[in-house]
Amino acid sequence: MLEDEVWRLKKIGRGGTFYKKLTALGIKTVQDFLKMSIVEPQKLRRILGTGMSEKMWEATMKHARTCIMGNKLYIFRGPNSIIFLNPICQVVRATINGQTFLTRDLPNLNGV
């Protein structure tokens, strides 16, 4: 679950090095971990450091992604746009100049 403590993720370990690094920087829940993986993936990887191998990273991310996101959305309103984000800061929908784009349409936004 998103609100679970981050140590519940595979390869993090309660009280372990990775757990201490994450919580020291405010990454305390699975939701915090997943948000960081979307917003600043390189920073998250650096926080965990070289002690977390690529194989461990993949296992942790795979486990984290199994969490149910729920239906909660966050809304950002701009002058000519409305952006809808899921609980881990992924864009779900965007309305720009009155035109709505769904997730599958979003890669095409650069041409708008």
Side-chain angles (χ1 to χ4, degrees), residues 29-42:
T29 66
V30 173
Q31 183 176 9
D32 296 335
F33 183 89
L34 284 168
K35 276 185 194 177
M36 181 68 79
S37 76
I38 297 299
V39 177
E40 295 185 276
Q42 294 84 12

Side-chain angles (χ1 to χ4, degrees), residues 9-95:
L9 291 173
K10 287 183 181 175
K11 308 299 182 188
I12 299 299
R14 187 176 196 172
T17 304
F18 299 135
Y19 173 76
K20 289 176 183 174
K21 287 179 179 183
L22 292 167
T23 57
L25 294 171
I27 303 166
K28 298 180 180 184
T29 66
V30 173
Q31 183 176 9
D32 296 335
F33 183 89
L34 284 168
K35 276 185 194 177
M36 181 68 79
S37 76
I38 297 299
V39 177
E40 295 185 276
Q42 294 84 12
K43 182 177 179 180
L44 178 60
R45 198 67 178 97
R46 278 193 310 273
I47 290 166
L48 295 168
T50 56
M52 180 171 269
S53 69
E54 194 61 32
K55 189 174 180 179
M56 291 170 70
W57 169 256
E58 289 300 323
T60 304
M61 289 304 301
K62 184 177 179 181
H63 184 219
R65 289 184 191 121
T66 64
C67 289
I68 297 169
M69 294 293 143
N71 296 321
K72 189 172 189 176
L73 293 177
Y74 296 88
I75 301 171
F76 171 79
R77 295 179 192 275
N80 296 313
S81 62
I82 303 172
I83 309 294
F84 297 84
L85 304 169
N86 69 12
I88 62 167
C89 295
Q90 289 175 308
V91 176
V92 175
R93 183 171 69 234
T95 302

